[in-house]
Amino acid sequence: MKNDSSGLPNKKYFSISEVAELCKIKTHTLRFWENEFKELKPLTRKGNRRCYKKEDIALILQIKTLLYEERLTISGAKKKFLNKEEKQENKVSADLIIELEDILRTLKNS
């Protein structure tokens, strides 16, 4: 099977053992992270078999970097993800306000 530009095999879903091997993490560590990080929610199939997407793998690699390379605690890594979410929400809110102001100006000028 060929790899895509990210270096991952070119397939849609990955099993927990495949992800563990790709990310060099034990399967029990992945299950633990699923409980700790609400952002990490792989699909579950019949028999509670986990199916990870490439986005899940990217998130796992981010978590691994925060914990193992930046040496953050679990709670420190969670705070980083919360801060990132808040920034994204603030950007969406700011974009929405700009759009609404444009609509209001258009209506006033009509």
Side-chain angles (χ1 to χ4, degrees):
M1 181 171 292
K2 290 191 170 196
N3 291 349
D4 66 10
S5 61
S6 67
L8 295 174
N10 194 16
K11 55 193 266 186
K12 193 170 184 175
Y13 296 108
F14 299 84
S15 70
I16 191 168
S17 58
E18 289 173 317
V19 174
E21 187 177 322
L22 286 167
C23 296
K24 296 180 179 28
I25 297 173
K26 303 253 187 228
T27 56
H28 67 267
T29 302
L30 289 171
R31 286 188 214 95
F32 175 73
W33 288 356
E34 287 173 25
N35 291 328
E36 293 296 319
F37 296 92
K38 66 177 173 119
E39 300 85 2
L40 182 57
K41 292 288 178 213
L43 297 171
T44 51
R45 299 285 165 111
K46 201 166 45 172
N48 282 340
R49 297 183 65 161
R50 291 163 171 81
C51 294
Y52 294 86
K53 296 184 280 187
K54 291 179 182 179
E55 297 84 27
D56 297 322
I57 295 172
L59 181 60
I60 290 165
L61 292 172
Q62 278 185 303
I63 293 169
K64 181 181 176 186
T65 299
L66 292 173
L67 297 177
Y68 296 161
E69 292 176 22
E70 293 186 26
R71 313 285 289 161
L72 293 177
T73 61
I74 294 283
S75 62
K78 285 180 184 179
K79 286 179 187 173
K80 274 235 176 172
F81 281 111
L82 283 176
N83 288 340
K84 189 187 294 187
E85 279 182 20
E86 287 174 5
K87 286 179 185 175
Q88 285 177 329
E89 286 175 11
N90 289 342
K91 183 182 179 340
V92 168
S93 296
D95 291 346
L96 183 58
I97 289 171
I98 291 169
E99 286 182 43
L100 291 172
E101 287 172 342
D102 287 343
I103 292 169
L104 186 59
R105 256 187 252 108
T106 303
L107 290 172
K108 283 182 178 179
N109 292 334
S110 303

